[in-house]
Amino acid sequence: MFRPLSSRPSKLAFQTLNRSFSSSPSKVRSSAALALNEAFSTVPSKSNLTFCVGGFGLCGIPETLISSIATDFPEVKNMTAVSNNAGVDGFGLGKLLESGQVERMISSYVGENKTFEKMYLGGELAVELTPQGTLAERLRSGGAGIPAFFTPTAAGTVIADGGFPIKYKSDGSGDVEIKSEPRETRTFNGVEYVMEEAITGDVSLVKAWKADTRGNLVFRGTARNFNPDCARAGRFCIAEVEEIVEAGEISPDDVHLPGVFVDRVVKATDNEKRIEQVTERAEEGSGGSGSVVTGGRGRIVRRAAKEFKDGMYVNLGIGIPTMASNFLPSGVRIELQSENGLMGMGPFPKKGSADADWINAGKQTVTPVPGASTFSSSDSFGMIRSCKVGLTILGGMQVSSNGDLANWIIPGKMVKGMGGAMDLVGAPGSRVVVTMEHVAKNGTKKIMRDCSLPLTGKGVVDLIITDMCVFKCDKKNGGLTLIELAKGVTVDDIKENTGCEFDVVEGDIPLMDEE
């Protein structure tokens, strides 16, 4: 608001203000243990604390802070760790699982951490599996003072309906001790939404590339991911960084996270930045496989590529979907989004140039294309839920005749977590294409009237592309229509290998593109 000249601060007042800012106490501490001690001094007990921990896989994890808790603070027990996943065995949050300091995990993905999976199925660990985008938004909302929100993600699944095992009994029986509660749901504009409560933590542990003495942070590459969201959600935030500079050396326009959200800064001393999957481009003339894909998988990949339209923003799941980007139709240019915080995902790096700060959602090393951008996990899934990303291609374990998809868990046996799949397929108005083999390796039918596995999304699939055919799904009224066949495959073959009835397109059935 404008004030008359007589009420404006004098030049002396501005000089005094500048001196007070320049003499503000530094937030930098000499060690992780010292910063953690100060954090613990703000709570009545070191037990039963909630930690919000940044990172995606091993990318952007605060390893120095995690190691300090494991070695310097054994009295920190019964902790709840809120993190997208739990590192790997012996690294990242895997250290705190192995030390027995974690009692409960709130995560979207178990990943390759065998200790995590074993402890959960054995009843030693409570796990609240949460869709990745929902987890990011719960953290962002917690840091923004918003107690709850509605999302289309997970509507019609066990996450919304309740009853999912949070904790098994530890007697080896496989019986469930704690089940999830049903969420409140509401309908907006004819679409069902699920209410999710925000998350706040006692302590946030995050990783950044650079900080100044005021706590302003700059992230690098896809190492940003969950870090800004976790930082905002904590009552006391400690940032572990690779470089510390004086206040003023970072331009205000270059600050990714303002220091108001950061209480302490420490220099990373555990400088090992592990990469879960070092993936590199085959050198020209090396005889590498490049983009050669043959057989049924090749047929699926080439047909999936026909779904790309010029100018599309696209999210591709790992495996077969990602291969489709190597077969773009002539004249078509697309932007590939990786839900861990990258728009404009490019090829694998050249041999010897893999960078731990640049990975895709499958934890593989990648490079950005010219014009790419990076952002936080909450921003990433905001563009997904709002249908700015118009096409998703992903794999499936089962698809129903109504377009239901199951692809994330086999109860009591395989627990990988849903990751971002529920968010990707749950965005109203987005197009979802499922690519998979028509039957499982043991001959089990994967396309059926009703899915027997827990759903990833209800009524979400638009198109199913298999090694045998292409089905169009009617998400509104239910039902499948056979619209293309693989060469040498008959309608009777499809009937024999499909667990539900379906319609057949009128006239001659087109052949899937095998070129």
Side-chain angles (χ1 to χ4, degrees):
M1 185 177 69
F2 178 79
R3 290 179 293 179
L5 287 172
S6 61
S7 63
R8 293 181 186 177
S10 66
K11 183 177 180 180
L12 177 61
F14 276 122
Q15 291 173 341
T16 303
L17 192 61
N18 284 333
R19 283 197 297 271
S20 68
F21 280 142
S22 63
S23 61
S24 296
S26 171
K27 295 183 178 181
V28 178
R29 295 296 180 266
S30 59
S31 70
L34 182 58
L36 285 164
N37 253 327
E38 293 185 28
F40 296 144
S41 70
T42 66
V43 293
S45 171
K46 294 179 184 177
S47 294
N48 302 301
L49 298 178
T50 297
F51 288 78
C52 301
V53 185
F56 184 92
L58 299 182
C59 181
I61 60 172
E63 183 65 21
T64 298
L65 290 165
I66 291 170
S67 296
S68 181
I69 292 176
T71 57
D72 302 325
F73 299 94
E75 67 275 22
V76 175
K77 295 181 178 179
N78 304 320
M79 64 186 289
T80 295
V82 184
S83 186
N84 182 61
N85 47 328
V88 296
D89 296 299
F91 203 76
L93 281 175
K95 290 181 178 179
L96 299 182
L97 290 177
E98 293 175 6
S99 66
Q101 291 171 271
V102 180
E103 181 180 58
R104 184 185 184 95
M105 287 289 309
I106 302 178
S107 304
S108 82
Y109 195 65
V110 175
E112 308 309 315
N113 192 321
K114 300 299 183 184
T115 301
F116 191 163
E117 186 174 31
K118 180 181 178 181
M119 290 178 68
Y120 170 57
L121 294 176
E124 301 174 64
L125 181 70
V127 178
E128 182 183 338
L129 285 172
T130 303
Q132 190 177 137
T134 296
L135 179 60
E137 191 63 20
R138 290 178 71 185
L139 288 162
R140 191 201 68 81
S141 295
I146 298 171
F149 60 92
F150 283 93
T151 174
T153 300
T157 74
V158 68
I159 301 301
D161 298 340
F164 185 79
I166 289 178
K167 188 175 186 300
Y168 288 96
K169 291 184 177 179
S170 57
D171 57 6
S173 65
D175 294 334
V176 178
E177 182 177 320
I178 303 173
K179 294 182 179 181
S180 64
E181 295 293 326
R183 264 70 157 178
E184 178 184 340
T185 61
R186 289 190 192 179
T187 300
F188 299 93
N189 301 317
V191 178
E192 186 178 13
Y193 285 75
V194 180
M195 194 186 85
E196 293 283 356
E197 295 186 7
I199 293 175
T200 56
D202 299 294
V203 181
S204 290
L205 309 177
V206 301
K207 174 71 181 294
W209 171 50
K210 183 187 292 187
D212 66 19
T213 55
R214 299 265 171 76
N216 295 308
L217 302 184
V218 179
F219 301 97
R220 181 176 181 273
T222 57
R224 186 180 316 195
N225 52 65
F226 273 84
N227 281 296
D229 303 312
C230 285
R232 290 183 174 97
R235 295 184 183 89
F236 194 103
C237 173
I238 308 174
E240 169 187 329
V241 302
E242 296 175 38
E243 182 180 350
I244 300 173
V245 299
E246 292 298 323
E249 292 189 33
I250 300 174
S251 168
D253 289 335
D254 293 335
V255 172
H256 292 154
L257 185 73
V260 68
F261 295 107
V262 178
D263 297 281
R264 296 292 181 269
V265 174
V266 299
K267 186 78 177 291
T269 57
D270 194 326
N271 294 316
E272 181 184 8
K273 295 169 70 171
R274 293 193 190 181
I275 301 173
E276 287 187 65
Q277 296 188 49
V278 177
T279 43
E280 299 173 326
R281 248 180 277 184
E283 296 181 7
E284 293 185 15
S286 66
S289 61
S291 60
V292 177
V293 190
T294 59
R297 287 168 64 89
R299 187 178 305 122
I300 297 171
V301 166
R302 288 173 173 78
R303 176 57 185 83
K306 293 173 68 176
E307 295 300 305
F308 298 138
K309 303 294 184 270
D310 191 40
M312 268 186 170
Y313 292 94
V314 179
N315 185 289
L316 301 177
I318 60 175
I320 290 176
T322 298
M323 296 178 193
S325 63
N326 293 318
F327 298 92
L328 283 172
S330 177
V332 172
R333 180 181 181 277
I334 60 174
E335 294 275 357
L336 293 180
Q337 193 245 22
S338 189
E339 62 262 35
N340 56 312
L342 173 62
M343 180 65 77
M345 181 171 64
F348 297 144
K350 294 180 179 179
K351 187 175 180 61
S353 63
D355 188 329
D357 288 340
W358 290 95
I359 66 166
N360 64 16
K363 319 299 191 306
Q364 299 170 314
T365 47
V366 294
T367 59
V369 299
S373 59
T374 58
F375 31 82
S376 68
S377 292
S378 59
D379 282 340
S380 179
F381 284 95
M383 61 184 74
I384 289 168
R385 280 191 301 272
S386 62
C387 290
K388 303 299 183 185
V389 178
L391 174 65
T392 294
I393 304 180
L394 74 171
M397 295 178 186
Q398 295 176 346
V399 181
S400 80
S401 59
N402 292 322
D404 300 343
L405 170 67
N407 75 345
W408 68 281
I409 190 171
I410 300 175
K413 295 183 179 180
M414 187 200 78
V415 185
K416 293 299 181 186
M418 70 288 287
M422 284 190 176
D423 307 273
L424 285 160
V425 303
S430 66
R431 182 168 174 79
V432 176
V433 176
V434 172
T435 58
M436 64 183 187
E437 272 107 13
H438 204 94
V439 296
K441 291 181 179 179
N442 63 3
T444 303
K445 297 170 183 175
K446 300 172 72 174
I447 302 172
M448 55 192 63
R449 189 180 68 179
D450 298 298
C451 295
S452 59
L453 295 172
L455 296 184
T456 306
K458 187 174 180 63
V460 296
V461 179
D462 293 280
L463 199 72
I464 308 169
I465 302 173
T466 77
D467 51 331
M468 297 181 70
C469 71
V470 179
F471 279 120
K472 182 179 180 180
C473 302
D474 185 342
K475 297 191 292 187
K476 183 176 181 181
N477 302 307
L480 300 177
T481 301
L482 178 65
I483 61 171
E484 296 177 29
L485 282 172
K487 187 176 181 180
V489 177
T490 67
V491 173
D492 286 338
D493 292 332
I494 302 302
K495 288 180 179 179
E496 183 180 344
N497 290 281
T498 304
C500 63
E501 296 181 353
F502 55 86
D503 296 326
V504 179
V505 69
E506 294 182 3
D508 294 334
I509 304 174
L511 291 178
M512 297 171 66
D513 185 5
E514 293 189 325
E515 295 181 2

